[in-house]
Amino acid sequence: MNLSLGVKALLIVICALISIIVGITAGYMSHKPGARHRDAVLFGGGVFLGSMTLCIAVLSALGMVLAITA
């Protein structure tokens, strides 16, 4: 698929925003009363990275982002 640079950047920004929401939600849900906050932050960060990787991988498989053409 031949998308312009602006559309590709928009897709990456949308993926980042979705991943941020998923990461914040996962961190909030993993926090236990009386536990350290950094554990929840680290968990949310890991979920963010996993979600962002998954989003970019799906878009690359569909040929929308990071497609290498000869």
Side-chain angles (χ1 to χ4, degrees), residues 10 15-16 22 26 59 63:
L10 182 64
C15 284
V22 170
L59 289 177

Side-chain angles (χ1 to χ4, degrees), residues 1-69:
M1 187 172 282
N2 202 3
L3 299 175
S4 67
L5 182 62
V7 173
K8 289 181 182 182
L10 182 64
L11 287 172
I12 291 175
V13 169
I14 290 170
C15 284
L17 291 175
I18 290 171
S19 297
I20 287 171
I21 292 170
V22 170
I24 289 172
T25 304
Y28 180 75
M29 291 177 65
S30 72
H31 181 67
K32 296 176 181 69
R36 298 180 301 186
H37 292 287
R38 67 181 139 179
D39 293 335
V41 171
L42 286 174
F43 185 77
V47 171
F48 165 77
L49 287 176
S51 177
M52 188 69 181
T53 303
L54 182 65
C55 285
I56 297 297
V58 167
L59 289 177
S60 294
L62 294 174
M64 294 183 182
V65 178
L66 303 173
I68 300 172
T69 57

